[in-house]
């Protein structure tokens, strides 16, 4: 498999020049803006003194480290862009104890997970300011994908918190941001190891989400789960496990919005899982692309099984059979407004967005704005606040268990 990857990788590395995205917070006041990022990770802690750092190995015995980081978003931070060298620099916050400063504690059991959610996250939710238009407070959980380190996860979560208005340009927290980091190896050639670790982490991710969802319901806060790439696999399976564990008539809502970015999960597997957990979430948004080289390779490594986040294996495949070319699918007609077709799932095509060289990390400011409308304003797709979305006809749903899938094209370069 590694030889196959090395043979293909030169074709994945080609990329073009793009216009830098706009600044997230213009002006001098943004220079000292910080975001408090809570974290949950089942990575093994590195021997680094009083500073919490986590490597790529699993905790042994299995358990979660739970704590927080203060992250500074500099004046050069741009919308959608994680810049480890300039824009975002983590600085660990420590607990004070009778013995002096010490890092946050390691917590392992389900009871301790619940205790952390109660003693740390609940007060943070209560202290957060509601959004300017009123309504409930916001809680965001970000779950990373393949080839991602702990620090990269914290930086990405801080970037999302800033770009989605959970922290204002003046540094005021309007919500709670949580980074969930499973033991991805952080190397390109660790795909199979990351697959196993993404499955391994479900035994901790599921109880963590369950405890957090209960607190959010009690505090009347909205819970939003955002997962990228292989992290979507861990999230989808965990949500299905939680749905299967409860009695149907006693199941309570687990999350308000579930957002999958470039999900690296088999379409057939997802179709089975979504039937279980869809009744327990408010809305599901899936961002897909026809230009995702990483998911194209994933499809090859999985014997040709179609990936959920690769548009070419769903919509475009059907269009090509009818003779429509790669560039023609965006010219399809608008969806007719039908009350019965307004389902709980939106698929949004972001092909052509400003992405990484693999086409696997979406960074277009228009996409950031669309995420902000979902999380900060709860704006449904098709409304004025989400103007860059253009409804498109998808025809029959490519999924057996999704009855009313709505399909949109994101108009890139809208900001």
């Amino acid at each position: 498999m590694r030889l196959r990857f090395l043979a293909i990788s030169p074709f994945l590395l080609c990329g073009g020049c793009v216009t830098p995205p706009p600044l997230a917070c213009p002006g001098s006041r943004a220079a000292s803006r910080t975001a408090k990022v809570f974290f949950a990770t089942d990575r093994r802690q590195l021997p680094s003194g009083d500073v919490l750092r986590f490597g790529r190995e699993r905790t042994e015995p299995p358990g979660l480290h739970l704590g927080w980081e203060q992250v500074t978003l500099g004046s050069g931070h741009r919308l959608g862009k994680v810049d480890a060298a300039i824009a975002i620099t983590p600085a660990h916050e420590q607990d004070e104890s009778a013995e002096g400063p010490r890092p946050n504690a390691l917590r392992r059991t389900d009871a301790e997970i619940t205790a952390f959610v109660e003693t740390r996250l609940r007060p943070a939710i209560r202290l957060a300011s509601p959004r300017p238009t009123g309504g409930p407070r916001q809680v965001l959980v970000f779950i990373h994908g393949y080839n991602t380190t702990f620090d990269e996860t914290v930086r990405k979560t801080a970037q999302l918190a800033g770009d989605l208005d959970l922290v204002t340009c003046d540094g005021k927290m309007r919500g709670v941001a949580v980074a969930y980091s499973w033991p991805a190896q952080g190397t390109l050639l660790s795909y199979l190891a990351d697959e196993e670790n993404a499955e391994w982490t479900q035994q901790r991710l599921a109880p963590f989400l369950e405890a957090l969802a209960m607190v959010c319901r009690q505090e009347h806060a909205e819970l939003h789960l955002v997962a990228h790439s292989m992290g979507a696999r861990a999230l989808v399976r965990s949500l299905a496990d939680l749905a299967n564990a409860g009695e149907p008539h006693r199941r309570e809502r687990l999350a308000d919005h579930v957002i999958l970015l470039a999900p690296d999960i088999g379409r057939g597997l997802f179709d089975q899982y979504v039937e279980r957990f869809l009744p327990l979430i408010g809305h599901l948004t899936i961002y897909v692309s026809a230009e995702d080289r990483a998911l194209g390779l994933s499809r090859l490594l999985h014997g040709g099984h179609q990936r959920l986040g690769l548009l070419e294996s769903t919509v475009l495949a059907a269009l090509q059979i009818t003779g429509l070319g790669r560039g023609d699918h965006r010219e399809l007609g608008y969806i007719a407004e039908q009350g019965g077709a307004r389902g709980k799932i939106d698929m949004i095509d972001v092909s052509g967005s400003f992405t990484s060289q693999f086409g696997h990390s979406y960074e277009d400011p228009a996409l950031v704005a669309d995420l902000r409308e979902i999380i900060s304003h709860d704006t449904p797709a098709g409304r004025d606040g989400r103007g860059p979305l253009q409804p498109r006809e998808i025809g029959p749903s490519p999924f057996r268990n999704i009855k009313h899938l709505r399909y949109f094209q994101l108009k890139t370069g809208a900001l």
Side-chain angles (χ1 to χ4, degrees):
M1 188 196 74
R2 292 190 177 187
L3 291 176
R4 182 189 298 175
F5 181 91
L6 292 173
I8 296 173
S9 59
F11 298 98
L12 303 180
L13 296 177
C14 56
C17 297
V18 294
T19 303
L23 288 170
C25 286
S28 59
R29 62 178 180 167
S32 60
R33 185 172 61 140
T34 63
K36 186 172 186 177
V37 176
F38 292 88
F39 66 80
T41 182
D42 47 9
R43 296 173 181 267
R44 182 180 298 176
Q45 184 177 349
L46 297 176
S48 54
D50 290 337
V51 179
L52 277 183
R53 284 295 175 264
F54 301 95
R56 63 185 188 179
E57 301 300 325
R58 303 171 176 176
T59 56
E60 185 60 42
L64 279 180
H65 294 269
L66 298 164
W68 57 89
E69 300 270 0
Q70 287 292 133
V71 182
T72 300
L73 297 106
S75 57
H77 170 54
R78 296 182 177 274
L79 284 175
K81 187 68 175 177
V82 178
D83 190 338
I86 300 174
I88 302 176
T89 305
H92 177 62
E93 179 178 331
Q94 294 180 326
D95 273 335
E96 295 291 334
S97 69
E99 295 78 23
R102 60 178 175 80
N104 331 48
L106 167 66
R107 304 172 186 273
R108 295 187 183 278
T109 67
D110 287 0
E112 288 171 325
I113 291 173
T114 301
F116 181 85
V117 173
E118 288 286 346
T119 61
R120 298 298 185 186
L121 292 180
R122 187 190 290 273
I125 294 171
R126 291 177 176 176
L127 288 174
S129 302
R131 51 194 176 197
T133 56
R137 294 172 174 83
Q138 310 299 304
V139 178
L140 171 73
V141 178
F142 174 69
I143 305 166
H144 65 82
Y146 151 70
N147 186 27
T148 305
T149 67
F150 173 81
D151 284 354
E152 288 169 345
T153 309
V154 172
R155 290 189 178 100
K156 179 63 177 179
T157 306
Q159 173 250 310
L160 286 172
D163 291 352
L164 303 181
D165 290 337
L166 295 186
V167 55
T168 69
C169 290
D170 294 323
K172 185 177 182 180
M173 294 303 298
R174 287 182 176 162
V176 175
V178 183
Y180 187 93
S181 185
W182 50 277
Q185 301 294 284
T187 65
L188 286 175
L189 300 181
S190 62
Y191 190 84
L192 289 182
D194 281 5
E195 280 196 314
E196 180 166 324
N197 285 334
E199 182 175 356
W200 179 82
T201 199
Q202 291 168 221
Q203 299 304 311
R204 283 150 299 285
L205 176 57
F208 177 75
L209 293 178
E210 185 176 34
L212 182 56
M214 182 182 68
V215 167
C216 287
R217 288 193 301 268
Q218 293 171 348
E219 295 297 330
H220 306 289
E222 291 185 346
L223 176 59
H224 311 295
L225 308 178
V226 180
H228 176 244
S229 187
M230 198 179 289
R233 202 182 306 182
L235 174 59
V236 165
R237 288 172 171 172
S238 296
L239 291 175
D241 286 347
L242 290 173
N244 289 336
E247 298 179 26
H249 64 286
R250 293 184 178 177
R251 294 175 182 172
E252 297 182 274
R253 175 172 289 193
L254 292 171
D256 293 274
H257 286 283
V258 172
I259 299 171
L260 307 181
L261 305 172
D264 184 7
I265 182 174
R267 198 185 75 185
L269 288 173
F270 173 80
D271 196 18
Q272 297 178 69
Y273 290 130
V274 72
E275 183 180 22
R276 298 291 185 181
F277 73 79
L278 190 59
L280 304 185
I281 67 173
H283 197 271
L284 173 64
T285 304
I286 309 169
Y287 289 91
V288 301
S289 174
E291 301 171 357
D292 194 321
R293 301 180 183 94
L295 289 186
L297 178 59
S298 175
R299 180 183 180 185
L300 177 64
L301 296 177
H302 288 93
H305 289 291
Q306 298 169 333
R307 315 317 288 167
L308 176 62
L310 186 61
L311 187 64
E312 186 174 6
S313 63
T314 54
V315 180
L316 283 182
L319 295 177
Q320 288 169 350
I321 293 176
T322 64
L324 294 173
R326 178 187 176 101
D328 295 328
H329 75 286
R330 297 175 190 150
E331 305 303 323
L332 297 177
Y334 286 87
I335 298 174
E337 281 293 333
Q338 299 177 0
R342 299 186 66 83
K344 294 178 67 173
I345 304 181
D346 294 330
M347 177 179 283
I348 301 178
D349 173 14
V350 298
S351 302
S353 294
F354 173 38
T355 66
S356 67
Q357 58 188 2
F358 288 94
H360 193 54
S361 297
Y362 307 152
E363 299 171 348
D364 195 295
L367 183 139
V368 174
D370 195 55
L371 285 175
R372 187 190 304 129
E373 288 296 324
I374 295 174
I375 291 176
S376 296
H377 305 292
D378 199 23
T379 306
R383 297 288 179 86
D384 292 340
R386 297 177 70 180
L389 292 185
Q390 299 174 336
R392 289 292 182 256
E393 181 62 68
I394 193 175
S397 172
F399 303 98
R400 178 175 57 86
N401 292 315
I402 299 177
K403 307 304 180 184
H404 300 301
L405 173 70
R406 299 189 303 171
Y407 173 53
F408 296 85
Q409 171 74 34
L410 178 70
K411 182 180 178 182
T412 59
L415 295 182

